[in-house]
Amino acid sequence: MTKTPVDLSGTAPTTGFKGPQLTGQRRGRLRVNRTAVLAAAVVILFAVSVLLGSYTVTIPDFFKILIGHLTGGEKIPGASFIVMENKLPRAVIGTMIGVAFGLAGALFQTMLRNPLASPDVIGISYGASAAAVTAIVIFGASGAAVSGAALAGALGVAALIYAISSGAMGGTGRGDAAGNRLILAGVGIAAALHAVVSFLMTRADIRTAADALVWLNGSLNSASWDRAGVLALALTVLIPAVAAIAGPLRILELGPDAAAGLGVRVGATRLALVIIAVSLAAVATAAAGPVSFVAFLAGPIARRLTGKASLPASALVGALIVLAADYLAANLAPLLLGGTVLPVGVITGALGAPFLLWLLVTANRKEA
């Protein structure tokens, strides 16, 4: 039986063709608007963190304090110290580490096409933790020395994981197998480093162990302008690097073979992505400790809000998570726990664990 050919020259098909174009444009504007909403939410939550809480400051007083601090003018007794030495640097560092963790997690998850590939899961945060606890317990380090040890530990563990996954120790290093090896190697190394941390904690005295435990949970209690300055300098270098690598990353999402066919140097691009992502996670961990699950949560939440993998949205979601968790830990938790101030990592960990279970359940449903 002969089928009647479809006429593609009429007006109806033309109208149907324009419809999806307009729909795509509307979807693009919607994604932009949602990213803008996330940015506005970060600004609002930043203001809430500085102005409200256990000590409230009015907006006119805040600007008076800020101008007085910058110009050396009149200060408001008590309020100037609380805002400029506690609340403001705490909010600034919280925003920056949220951006750094959010970008680090999104880079790993997009590159490896696996929602479980974040610095928390693949061992980088444990590298920082093991090095920092070693510095605290064995060498009695504190302050900048602990941050430096954490940075060195994260970079060293990342180099080891990448060497194993890239085939430098006998593998082929090609295709998705390298990505799977990176995750598996990271999980194994994380388990070993977790045992090292546990052993060191058992050998430490009570006060040293308490200091190490606060750092291990991730905390903004020691936020200062010195740390904020170092972190800001690092992000000034790393964020433009993320913007430069974003194009090849989008092509790499198609798969290593397709990306190689389109002219992307897969090995070099992956190495650059790993260096940038590890550096972001390392400087954030050095500034505030391993704030758990921020890097893991930011990417998937941003994807659900914007409809696609988005590095800017992931950075903003990371900042929102840290700011919201720190506000809960510093202001609401003491009301419920008789004055106990929780480290910010306790709140993010409590949020991240059920999200991980939910992600695994939904992934199993899709596969079924």
Side-chain angles (χ1 to χ4, degrees):
M1 182 175 179
T2 304
K3 294 184 178 180
T4 303
V6 179
D7 184 8
L8 298 178
S9 62
T11 57
T14 303
T15 304
F17 179 71
K18 289 182 180 179
Q21 282 187 324
L22 295 175
T23 301
Q25 292 173 1
R26 285 194 295 269
R27 288 178 180 173
R29 287 196 296 269
L30 183 60
R31 283 194 291 267
V32 171
N33 290 340
R34 288 183 177 179
T35 304
V37 168
L38 286 173
V42 171
V43 173
I44 292 171
L45 198 51
F46 183 94
V48 168
S49 299
V50 175
L51 301 177
L52 303 180
S54 57
Y55 187 91
T56 59
V57 181
T58 64
I59 295 176
D61 282 346
F62 170 75
F63 283 107
K64 183 178 179 181
I65 290 169
L66 185 61
I67 293 171
H69 182 80
L70 295 176
T71 62
E74 182 183 357
K75 297 182 179 180
I76 301 176
S80 294
F81 178 83
I82 292 173
V83 171
M84 297 308 302
E85 302 301 327
N86 182 15
K87 279 176 163 283
L88 193 55
R90 189 183 187 109
V92 169
I93 290 181
T95 302
M96 288 193 292
I97 67 168
V99 168
F101 278 129
L103 285 175
L107 287 174
F108 274 119
Q109 291 163 349
T110 305
M111 176 183 68
L112 300 176
R113 296 187 294 173
N114 190 324
L116 297 179
S118 76
D120 305 288
V121 176
I122 65 176
I124 294 170
S125 296
Y126 279 103
S129 299
V133 172
T134 300
I136 293 171
V137 173
I138 296 180
F139 300 103
S142 61
V146 177
S147 298
L151 181 62
L155 294 175
V157 169
L160 177 60
I161 293 171
Y162 187 81
I164 296 173
S165 65
S166 64
M169 296 185 179
T172 61
R174 296 180 180 178
D176 290 335
N180 294 332
R181 280 200 301 274
L182 190 147
I183 295 173
L184 292 174
V187 170
I189 292 173
L193 292 174
H194 181 70
V196 171
V197 170
S198 299
F199 171 76
L200 290 173
M201 293 292 285
T202 62
R203 307 299 297 175
D205 62 77
I206 273 226
R207 291 185 179 180
T208 304
D211 293 340
L213 188 59
V214 170
W215 193 93
L216 283 172
N217 285 321
S219 175
L220 296 176
N221 293 337
S222 58
S224 65
W225 288 116
D226 290 338
R227 291 193 180 190
V230 173
L231 187 55
L233 182 62
L235 293 183
T236 301
V237 175
L238 292 172
I239 289 179
V242 172
I245 205 71
L249 176 63
R250 293 300 181 203
I251 300 175
L252 198 60
E253 281 187 88
L254 302 174
D257 295 333
L262 292 172
V264 174
R265 298 174 60 189
V266 175
T269 302
R270 275 185 167 171
L271 178 60
L273 284 166
V274 168
I275 291 173
I276 294 169
V278 167
S279 299
L280 285 165
V283 296
T285 303
V291 184
S292 59
F293 284 114
V294 177
F296 172 72
L297 291 171
I301 292 175
R303 183 186 292 270
R304 281 162 175 76
L305 290 176
T306 61
K308 67 171 186 178
S310 172
L311 294 177
S314 299
L316 293 170
V317 170
L320 278 174
I321 292 172
V322 175
L323 287 173
D326 185 57
Y327 187 83
L328 291 173
N331 299 291
L332 299 184
L335 299 177
L336 303 175
L337 301 175
T340 302
V341 177
L342 296 176
V344 63
V346 172
I347 303 296
T348 58
L351 295 174
F355 185 85
L356 172 60
L357 296 176
W358 176 80
L359 190 65
L360 293 173
V361 170
T362 54
N364 291 335
R365 287 177 181 174
K366 289 179 181 179
E367 292 175 359

